[in-house]
């Protein structure tokens, strides 16, 4: 599996459906009454309406209804190797019930000689009207397929709503649902970077403010004030220096505890997203290639059937050994073309199952990463507000000595001290005598 460094460990723990085990409706024609599944088993419908079962504890998947013991199917079954993956975004109802109108849409009519594209078992023929192909991906036809069960019915999860392609508002093409999720991730990374830059600007303001406070504290204005008021004034200037130190410490903590973590969170994120994009894109290209092979095989079968029909008509007109030999050859070629079509359909289904499996795993991982990113930013913004509150408290502590000295200012005492120091004499003048 690609993107090992990004989400490789999620392959061993595929996402689990969140529906509780219990009563499930039986498949049409198979059982006549409601079935009680053993604990730990879930029931889903494949794209063609066939029911299969998933053990959410062991990730075991089987077409056969499980027995009474968890993890043990009722019978081994002949098609265990062709089961859908434990969490298949399509088979476990990852696609919408009504796919949007997009380019390259085709609806297949049923034929008696070819297998339905998307059939999970070569021996099981189904009407092609049950499926619709959009951009090489097979969906259930909205007119014949009931609404599928969501993987996470109680959540607006990525794994349930991004299977189809979307029309590109900027052009005439389409954008894959997975591309929209990648754009969301990259946008989140950009927002995180811009938040870090914003905090950096805040740090610059703090540093400049601290610098100006320190400079102002050294100003000599009113330095000659005397007495208790002079002491209070000197403390005012000293408090500016103390406040400058507080703001310097605040800016340093902003850098180490907010700005830097925001900037460095997932440094290789874009590279990881690129690997992930290439991995899913390669699977989608392989799916398109398999679909093209199916179409080619289907066309070849049609031509062989037409050739066989023409030779059969010739035999009815004129009997000859040569015509009978031609019919035998045409019949063999038609049979071979049918076998080729079945093989191509099987390869297509394998490619689609692999794509769906990786889509579910990867979209759930992207969902987890987005939750992690939002929580990380929230925590660091909370740290910012905490530092801001601490700074306010420290600033308050720098002016408390000023408050104390201002309460001690005594104009009368200041006058006494000044007079004692600067007095020139206490003998008052008297009237002049003649």
């Amino acid at each position: 599996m690609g993107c090992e460094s990004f989400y490789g460990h999620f392959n061993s723990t595929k996402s689990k459906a969140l529906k509780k085990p219990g009563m499930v409706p039986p498949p049409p024609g198979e059982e006549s009454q409601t079935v009680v599944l053993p604990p730990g088993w879930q029931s889903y419908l494949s794209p063609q309406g066939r029911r299969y079962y998933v053990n959410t504890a062991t990730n075991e998947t089987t077409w056969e209804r499980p027995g009474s013991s968890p993890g043990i199917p009722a019978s081994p079954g002949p098609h265990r190797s062709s089961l859908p993956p434990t969490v298949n975004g399509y088979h476990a109802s990852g696609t919408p019930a009504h796919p949007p109108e997009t380019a390259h849409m085709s609806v297949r009519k049923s034929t008696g000689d070819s297998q339905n594209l998307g059939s999970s078992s070569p021996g099981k023929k189904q009407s092609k009207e049950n499926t619709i192909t959009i951009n090489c991906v097979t969906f259930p036809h909205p007119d014949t397929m009931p609404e599928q069960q969501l993987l996470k019915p109680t959540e607006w999860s990525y794994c349930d709503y991004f299977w189809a392609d979307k029309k590109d508002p900027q052009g005439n093409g389409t954008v894959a649902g997975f591309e929209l999720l990648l754009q969301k991730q990259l946008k989140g990374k950009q927002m995180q970077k811009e938040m870090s830059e914003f905090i950096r600007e805040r740090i610059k303001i703090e540093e400049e403010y601290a610098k100006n406070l320190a400079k102002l504290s050294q100003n000599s204005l009113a330095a000659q004030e005397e007495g208790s008021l002079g002491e209070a004034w000197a403390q005012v200037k000293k408090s500016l220096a103390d406040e400058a130190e507080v703001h310097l410490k605040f800016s340093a903590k902003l850098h180490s505890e907010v700005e830097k973590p925001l900037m460095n969170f997932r440094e290789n994120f874009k590279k990881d997203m690129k690997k992930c994009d290439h991995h899913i894109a390669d699977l989608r290209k392989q799916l398109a290639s398999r679909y093209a092979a199916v179409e080619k095989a289907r066309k070849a079968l049609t031509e062989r059937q037409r050739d066989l029909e023409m030779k059969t008509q010739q035999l009815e007109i004129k009997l000859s050994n040569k015509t009978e030999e031609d019919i035998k050859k045409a019949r063999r070629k038609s049979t071979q073309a049918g076998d080729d079509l079945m093989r191509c359909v099987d390869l297509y289904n394998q490619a689609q199952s692999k794509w769906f499996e990786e889509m579910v795993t990867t979209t759930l991982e992207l969902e987890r990463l987005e939750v992690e990113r939002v929580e990380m930013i929230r925590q660091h913004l909370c740290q910012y507000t905490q530092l801001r509150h601490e700074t306010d408290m420290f600033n308050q502590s720098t002016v408390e000595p000023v408050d104390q000295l201002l309460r001690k200012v005594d104009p009368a005492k200041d006058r006494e001290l000044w007079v004692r120091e600067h007095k020139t004499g206490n003998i008052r003048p008297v009237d002049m005598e003649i």
Side-chain angles (χ1 to χ4, degrees):
M1 173 178 171
C3 306
E4 289 82 3
S5 63
F6 178 54
Y7 60 90
H9 63 286
F10 285 87
N11 274 344
S12 60
T13 55
K14 301 296 183 185
S15 61
K16 300 177 181 177
L18 300 183
K19 182 174 180 293
K20 294 183 178 179
M23 307 295 285
V24 297
E30 292 185 13
E31 298 181 34
S32 59
Q33 58 184 359
T34 303
V35 178
V36 179
L37 292 178
W41 285 92
Q42 303 286 342
S43 172
Y44 300 101
L45 290 178
S46 72
Q48 292 75 35
R50 185 178 178 187
R51 189 169 299 280
Y52 67 95
Y53 304 89
V54 178
N55 188 313
T56 59
T58 64
N59 291 335
E60 179 184 0
T61 312
T62 176
W63 294 115
E64 304 297 330
R65 181 171 62 84
S68 58
S69 298
I72 303 177
S75 61
H79 300 296
R80 293 292 291 271
S81 61
S82 62
L83 297 177
T86 300
V87 181
N88 185 311
Y90 185 94
H91 293 197
S93 70
T95 56
H98 301 279
E101 293 183 5
T102 53
H104 312 297
M105 179 185 296
S106 64
V107 181
R108 296 292 177 191
K109 301 293 183 180
S110 64
T111 63
D113 298 290
S114 61
Q115 181 190 12
N116 175 33
L117 179 60
S119 173
S120 56
S121 175
K124 185 176 180 180
K125 296 182 180 179
Q126 299 178 358
S127 171
K128 284 187 170 55
E129 294 181 351
N130 289 337
T131 62
I132 182 172
T133 302
I134 306 174
N135 290 347
C136 305
V137 180
T138 303
F139 296 94
H141 197 288
D143 296 336
T144 59
M145 188 71 177
E147 185 175 355
Q148 295 176 327
Q149 175 191 352
L150 298 176
L151 281 174
K152 293 187 174 183
T154 60
E155 303 177 28
W156 287 86
S157 176
Y158 289 171
C159 67
D160 281 321
Y161 295 98
F162 291 91
W163 294 107
D165 297 342
K166 186 177 182 180
K167 287 184 178 180
D168 187 356
Q170 306 297 329
N172 298 324
T174 59
V175 179
F178 186 74
E179 286 296 322
L180 294 177
L181 293 177
L182 281 183
Q183 292 172 13
K184 166 69 173 172
Q185 295 291 317
L186 295 176
K187 180 181 178 181
K189 175 64 176 177
Q190 179 62 27
M191 295 302 98
Q192 167 193 326
K193 179 182 177 182
E194 291 181 11
M195 289 180 186
S196 177
E197 293 172 351
F198 179 89
I199 298 298
R200 181 58 197 160
E201 291 301 314
R202 180 73 171 90
I203 291 173
K204 289 181 180 179
I205 292 174
E206 288 296 319
E207 291 174 343
E208 186 67 22
Y209 184 54
K211 178 181 178 181
N212 290 334
L213 285 177
K215 181 178 179 181
L216 183 58
S217 69
Q218 302 298 321
N219 193 289
S220 60
L221 292 175
Q224 296 181 1
E225 180 62 55
E226 299 174 333
S228 59
L229 181 60
E231 293 178 8
W233 176 246
Q235 187 61 44
V236 168
K237 295 168 68 175
K238 183 179 182 301
S239 70
L240 294 183
D242 295 339
E243 186 177 355
E245 184 178 354
V246 168
H247 283 277
L248 278 178
K249 290 180 179 179
F250 176 49
S251 65
K253 287 187 176 182
L254 279 182
H255 172 69
S256 62
E257 299 179 22
V258 182
E259 180 211 358
K260 192 174 180 180
L262 285 175
M263 180 62 70
N264 295 338
F265 184 66
R266 296 178 184 162
E267 290 181 289
N268 299 321
F269 188 71
K270 288 186 177 180
K271 185 183 296 184
D272 291 337
M273 288 293 101
K274 191 173 182 179
K275 289 180 182 179
C276 191
D277 186 19
H278 287 169
H279 177 61
I280 297 297
D282 288 344
L283 291 175
R284 188 70 182 266
K285 289 177 182 177
Q286 184 181 20
L287 182 62
S289 175
R290 298 298 189 194
Y291 179 76
V294 168
E295 292 298 289
K296 184 178 179 180
R298 196 187 305 280
K299 183 178 179 182
L301 176 61
T302 302
E303 292 176 354
R304 295 301 181 189
Q305 289 176 330
R306 188 182 298 116
D307 182 56
L308 176 60
E309 183 180 355
M310 182 181 65
K311 285 182 169 53
T312 302
Q313 291 175 353
Q314 291 175 355
L315 179 62
E316 293 175 355
I317 297 173
K318 181 180 180 181
L319 295 175
S320 69
N321 292 333
K322 185 176 183 304
T323 305
E324 291 181 359
E325 286 297 323
D326 289 343
I327 288 178
K328 290 180 180 180
K329 290 181 180 179
R331 217 176 255 126
R332 286 196 299 269
K333 290 181 179 180
S334 178
T335 301
Q336 181 62 43
D339 292 341
D340 290 343
L341 176 58
M342 293 178 67
R343 180 181 59 83
C344 290
V345 167
D346 186 57
L347 292 175
Y348 170 87
N349 287 335
Q350 292 177 25
Q352 181 167 258
S353 293
K354 179 64 175 175
W355 175 69
F356 278 125
E357 180 183 1
E358 296 298 318
M359 275 285 289
V360 170
T361 302
T362 309
T363 54
L364 287 176
E365 171 64 354
L366 294 181
E367 187 174 295
R368 185 194 68 80
L369 289 174
E370 176 63 9
V371 171
E372 184 180 78
R373 182 190 74 90
V374 172
E375 180 61 20
M376 181 278 299
I377 293 176
R378 187 194 70 82
Q379 290 179 0
H380 284 90
L381 292 183
C382 286
Q383 181 64 14
Y384 166 81
T385 59
Q386 178 64 27
L387 291 174
R388 185 71 178 81
H389 289 315
E390 291 177 0
T391 300
D392 290 341
M393 289 189 296
F394 289 139
N395 282 336
Q396 182 64 30
S397 67
T398 63
V399 297
E400 287 177 358
V402 178
D403 289 336
Q404 294 174 2
L405 289 177
L406 287 175
R407 284 193 292 270
K408 294 179 180 180
V409 170
D410 186 346
K413 186 175 182 180
D414 286 351
R415 184 175 64 251
E416 175 186 349
L417 293 175
W418 188 85
V419 169
R420 285 178 178 276
E421 182 178 354
H422 298 90
K423 65 182 179 179
T424 59
N426 59 354
I427 303 300
R428 296 186 301 277
V430 295
D431 291 340
M432 181 184 297
E433 297 180 356
I434 300 176

